[in-house]
């Protein structure tokens, strides 16, 4: 497993349209798939008012992940962004985000969320040869 | 978006081989793709000693997510398991888990982790018609 340069990680991030947003609800981890875009120096996404994400994104720490893993080939990559999110309230910026992101989930999705690329980490696995299931003695 | 019955959620979970495990590191959210299996009433996976996941899984709360989202069709599903994880130290159970799970990431992956299906939630989106990007007035 190799760490990616930030520029490579951001390029892979920008190549995807669906990721997973991670947040906390009552101190428990929560995660949901979501469509997104990279806009300037941030991940932008949309949600509906009164969702758990809308609450968590209003000044809370979010992680956002994209990946593409091929378990049979044992290759793949993942990129994670971590930062303090904000709900975008400027109408012009809201409209920009609404134009960039097609919601996956139904609902109004009027809440625009911006997660700055504060911490970006990326990893790639390729050409790894490791034992397959069954290579080890198993009672199954 | 509809909520899935637990039996349907577990069936979808069992159909996948790669998910994402969510944990906390120094009170910050962390997430990584990982191969897994459903074994009995738990998600089982493997990691290497001294990883952040190995620490977090030893009695900590984990979330585990699988999804399959088609943003163009606006269809898809996701399943999330939340519970208190444990590191499996019984050698027989360790061997079972090693036989079930082919690690995606390189390394020893000798640490077997069990996340019971304590809370399982699933959601499905299908046949949603919502505005595409550009349907709204955008300054872009």
């Amino acid at each position: 497993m190799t760490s990616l340069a930030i520029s490579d990680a951001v390029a892979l991030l920008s190549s995807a349209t669906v990721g997973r947003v991670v947040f906390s609800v009552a101190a428990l981890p929560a995660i949901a798939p979501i469509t997104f875009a990279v806009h300037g120096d941030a991940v932008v996404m949309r949600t509906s008012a009164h969702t758990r994400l809308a609450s968590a994104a209003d000044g809370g720490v979010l992680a956002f992940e994209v990946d593409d893993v091929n378990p049979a080939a044992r290759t793949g990559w993942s990129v994670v962004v971590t930062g303090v999110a904000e709900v975008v309230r400027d109408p012009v910026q809201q409209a920009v985000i609404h134009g960039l992101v097609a919601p996956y989930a139904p609902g109004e999705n009027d809440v625009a969320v911006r997660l700055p690329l504060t911490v970006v980490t990326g990893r790639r696995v390729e050409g790894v040869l490791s034992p397959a299931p069954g290579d080890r003695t198993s009672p199954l």
Side-chain angles (χ1 to χ4, degrees), chain A residues 45-47 86-88 93-94 97-98 110-114:
Chain A
M45 48 200 148
R46 296 167 61 177
T47 187
E86 62 171 329
V87 170
V88 176
Q93 284 302 312
Q94 277 181 347
I97 294 170
H98 288 173
D110 281 341
V111 178
V113 173
R114 181 178 180 277

Side-chain angles (χ1 to χ4, degrees), chain A residues 35-121:
Chain A
T35 50
F36 76 104
V38 175
H39 176 56
D41 58 352
V43 164
V44 293
M45 48 200 148
R46 296 167 61 177
T47 187
S48 295
H50 312 301
T51 59
R52 303 181 310 164
L53 174 57
S55 299
D58 198 3
V61 174
L62 298 188
F64 183 81
E65 189 255 11
V66 293
D67 64 48
D68 186 10
V69 171
N70 182 334
R74 289 170 192 172
T75 60
W77 57 267
S78 61
V79 173
V80 178
V81 177
T82 311
V84 177
E86 62 171 329
V87 170
V88 176
R89 297 192 165 88
D90 173 73
V92 173
Q93 284 302 312
Q94 277 181 347
V96 170
I97 294 170
H98 288 173
L100 288 170
V101 181
Y104 150 65
E108 290 300 319
N109 289 292
D110 281 341
V111 178
V113 173
R114 181 178 180 277
L115 176 65
L117 303 180
T118 309
V119 179
V120 180
T121 59

